[in-house]
Amino acid sequence: MNLDGSAQDPEKREYSSVCVGREDDIKKSERMTAVVHDREVVIFYHKGEYHAMDIRCYHSGGPLHLGDIEDFDGRPCIVCPWHKYKITLATGEGLYQSINPKDPSAKPKWCSKGVKQRIHTVTVDNGNIYVTLSSEPFKCASDFYATGDFKVIKSSS
Ligand code: FES
C-alpha cells in the first residue's frame, strides 16, 4: 500500500481520456509532457505516429522526454539520456544486444527484455490530443517510478 492508500500494483481500472494539447503544437515540437490522472507521461510524434509512455525510465527513473529517438533493429526507440537504455516507442520493450559466446565471430543480435515501460493510448479528435492511461493489470517496471513514493507529482486530493 502507498501512503495515499492506493496499491502499488496497478489494478484493472478504466481511465477517462485526458486532453493534453493541440495536434498542431506537437507536430512542431515532436514531443510534449503531460500529467494524466496524476501520472507523468511523455507523448512523442515520430514519423507520423503518436506514442505515449511513462516519462521516467524503468531502469532508474531517467527523463525520457530528454532522450533521442533512434532506430534499432528497424524499431524506433527512445534512448534514455542517463544510461542509454533503448525502449521501443510502440510497445515499451527494452532492447539489448547479445552475442552468442559459442560463436564469437557472430554479429550481436538485438533482443527484447519484454515490456518494461508502460505505454499509453493516444487519440486525436478535432485537432486535440488525448491520452488514455493503460489499464493493463500487469506489473510494469516503469510503474515503480510513476507511482508511490517515487512519483514526482503528488496527488492534490
Ligand atoms: Fe534510463 Fe538508466 S535511467 S537507462
Side-chain angles (χ1 to χ4, degrees):
M1 226 27 136
N2 297 324
L3 292 176
D4 65 359
S6 63
Q8 178 82 18
D9 294 349
E11 294 168 9
K12 182 78 178 170
R13 60 176 282 196
E14 297 300 324
Y15 293 99
S16 57
S17 61
V18 171
C19 182
V20 295
R22 297 285 299 165
E23 198 178 10
D24 291 345
D25 294 332
I26 194 172
K27 280 187 171 172
K28 278 185 220 139
S29 61
E30 299 189 330
R31 60 184 67 186
M32 62 169 58
T33 62
V35 178
V36 178
H37 295 295
D38 289 330
R39 192 171 185 118
E40 282 187 290
V41 298
V42 55
I43 303 104
F44 297 107
Y45 177 72
H46 181 70
K47 294 188 176 170
E49 291 186 6
Y50 295 98
H51 305 278
M53 60 176 61
D54 287 341
I55 199 168
R56 311 231 166 256
C57 175
Y58 73 90
H59 174 225
S60 261
L64 294 182
H65 61 298
L66 302 179
D68 292 328
I69 294 175
E70 292 177 43
D71 280 9
F72 296 94
D73 206 23
R75 305 176 76 184
C77 295
I78 183 75
V79 181
C80 179
W82 280 8
H83 313 103
K84 308 298 178 197
Y85 276 30
K86 292 125 181 84
I87 302 167
T88 61
L89 292 183
T91 61
E93 287 167 81
L95 297 188
Y96 68 101
Q97 283 190 300
S98 84
I99 294 174
N100 181 348
K102 292 180 183 161
D103 186 5
S105 65
K107 280 175 75 176
K109 275 192 190 152
W110 284 103
C111 301
S112 173
K113 302 177 194 173
V115 176
K116 296 292 184 180
Q117 197 74 21
R118 190 173 285 277
I119 297 293
H120 307 290
T121 304
V122 182
T123 49
V124 181
D125 185 29
N126 204 20
N128 293 313
I129 306 283
Y130 293 84
V131 171
T132 309
L133 293 182
S134 158
S135 58
E136 292 299 318
F138 76 103
K139 244 187 177 180
C140 191
S142 68
D143 293 340
F144 186 74
Y145 294 102
T147 59
D149 294 343
F150 292 94
K151 189 164 87 169
V152 174
I153 304 292
K154 296 293 179 193
S155 173
S156 54
S157 59

